[in-house]
């Protein structure tokens, strides 16, 4: 359950933080499962359907950048995605009828963990309405040193920032971002951040010797359906699962206009797209 203060913060600032939502034993089990998933994967030889490797390491490097869809492929994470304690936090934010949308684990390994540039999640997968929440679970203590999440607070959905250049989706905000307004969300392992899908967010490269692993899940109102079926949306729709309340009989539409994210080419992930965008603009890595 969320407190009134947490609800108010979400409505006014587009996010709230719930320390200690995930217990020590569950965290330990998640760490063990991540180790199992990662065993034997190297940059040169890995299962590219399940993991994405950090590019900035030798061919035999074992640092994973992202584990794809843990809540689809691994029962421990799947159970967590349907746990009453978590859904009780999601329900007041998007209503009683809930679809699980997608999941990932961003590993942000020591020394080389990739940057995530400013973006708004919903720009990647526009839905018919705004009722979509991203849940981030810190699996390690996260602070500015190892690249904790940063957000630009504001009421949910108040701003649609541009993410395109020459009509092509860049996967990152293409207008100047006022970083003076950014709030770093530091938290101990087990902390959960609930963030509206249009809240701008980012994180820096992890140059520290510590991990900053984060499990990320997305939920949407059951009547929030995709507006645009590009290849990336078609892939992630395979992971959608009804988890609470009623199945929607109709879509609820609250937009009159929304930008269409036309990708420049097939991409594996946000990292891939943002790297391509930087290269096309001839910017250095990991600013
Ligand atoms: O891992 C992070 O710091 C942010 C992740 C994120 O925004 C994403 O993967 O869409």
């Amino acid at each position: 359950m969320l407190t009134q203060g947490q609800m108010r913060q979400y409505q006014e600032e587009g996010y709230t933080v719930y320390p200690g939502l995930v217990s020590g034993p569950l965290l330990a089990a998640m760490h063990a499962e991540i180790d199992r998933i990662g065993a034997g994967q190297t940059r040169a030889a890995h299962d590219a359907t399940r993991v994405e490797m950090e590019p900035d390491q030798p061919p035999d490097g074992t640092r994973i950048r992202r584990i794809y869809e843990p809540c689809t492929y691994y029962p421990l994470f799947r159970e967590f995605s349907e746990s009453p304690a978590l859904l009780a936090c999601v329900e007041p934010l998007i209503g009683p009828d809930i679809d699980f949308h997608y999941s990932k684990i961003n590993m942000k390994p020591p020394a080389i963990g990739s940057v995530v540039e400013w973006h708004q999640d919903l720009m990647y997968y526009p839905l018919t309405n705004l009722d979509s929440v991203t849940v981030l679970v810190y699996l390690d203590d996260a602070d500015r040193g190892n690249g904790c999440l940063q957000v630009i607070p504001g009421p949910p959905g108040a701003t649609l920032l541009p993410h395109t250049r020459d009509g092509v989706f860049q996967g990152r905000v293409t207008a100047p971002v006022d970083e003076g307004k950014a709030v770093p969300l530091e938290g101990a392992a087990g902390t959960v951040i609930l963030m509206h899908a249009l809240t701008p967010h980012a994180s820096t490269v992890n140059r520290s010797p510590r991990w900053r692993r984060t499990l990320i899940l997305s939920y949407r109102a059951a009547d929030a359906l995709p507006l645009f079926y590009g290849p990336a949306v078609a892939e992630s729709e395979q992971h959608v699962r009804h988890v609470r309340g009623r199945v929607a009989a109709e879509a609820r539409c609250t937009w009159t206009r929304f930008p269409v994210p036309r990708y420049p080419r097939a991409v594996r992930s946000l990292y891939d797209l943002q790297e391509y965008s930087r290269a096309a603009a001839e910017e250095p890595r990991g600013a």
Side-chain angles (χ1 to χ4, degrees), residues 66 104 106 108 116 119 121 149 201 203 212 216 270:
R66 174 173 285 177
K104 54 199 171 189
N106 286 353
K108 216 149 333 237
V116 172
H119 67 283
D121 288 343
L149 190 77
H201 58 286
S203 62
R212 197 238 57 185
I216 300 174
L270 160 149

Side-chain angles (χ1 to χ4, degrees), residues 2-219:
L2 298 178
T3 64
Q4 282 187 350
Q6 287 168 321
M7 284 295 297
R8 194 175 328 110
Q9 185 181 30
Y10 186 86
Q11 281 151 8
E12 291 173 1
E13 300 181 32
Y15 74 94
T16 192
V17 181
Y18 194 135
L21 183 64
V22 179
S23 70
L26 181 52
L27 277 177
M30 288 179 173
H31 291 168
E33 185 66 349
I34 288 172
D35 289 347
R36 193 190 61 76
I37 295 164
Q41 310 278 0
T42 63
R43 184 164 78 78
H46 60 274
D47 181 352
T49 66
R50 295 290 182 272
V51 297
E52 179 173 325
M53 305 302 289
E54 285 288 353
D56 199 6
Q57 60 181 336
D60 61 352
T62 57
R63 295 285 157 94
I64 293 175
R65 172 152 81 176
R66 174 173 285 177
I67 296 175
Y68 298 135
E69 300 294 350
C71 300
T72 296
Y73 298 124
Y74 314 109
L76 177 75
F77 293 108
R78 187 182 181 111
E79 269 172 40
F80 178 70
S81 72
E82 297 185 1
S83 64
L86 186 57
L87 294 180
C89 295
V90 170
E91 180 168 337
L93 307 180
I94 60 171
D97 305 322
I98 303 176
D99 281 358
F100 167 86
H101 187 170
Y102 64 81
S103 65
K104 54 199 171 189
I105 297 172
N106 286 353
M107 297 286 280
K108 216 149 333 237
I112 56 171
S114 290
V115 65
V116 172
E117 304 215 27
W118 290 103
H119 67 283
Q120 295 173 294
D121 288 343
L122 215 52
M123 304 307 277
Y124 278 74
Y125 46 81
L127 300 170
T128 53
N129 64 63
L130 273 174
D131 289 327
S132 168
V133 62
T134 308
V135 176
L136 299 100
V137 184
Y138 283 150
L139 303 177
D140 299 296
D141 296 346
D143 55 35
R144 275 166 261 213
N146 61 353
C148 67
L149 190 77
Q150 302 178 43
V151 296
I152 298 198
T159 330
L160 291 184
L161 298 170
H163 286 62
T164 58
R165 197 167 47 218
D166 301 329
V168 180
F169 185 58
Q170 303 294 308
R172 59 183 183 145
V173 178
T174 49
V177 172
D178 182 356
E179 303 228 6
K181 293 190 176 150
V183 176
L185 302 181
E186 301 191 321
T191 297
V192 171
I193 297 163
L194 298 122
M195 177 180 73
H196 187 268
L198 279 175
T199 300
H201 58 286
S203 62
T204 61
V205 174
N206 181 9
R207 302 262 183 238
S208 84
R210 293 171 290 127
W211 290 85
R212 197 238 57 185
R213 293 166 294 184
T214 303
L215 168 64
I216 300 174
L217 311 88
S218 172
Y219 297 89

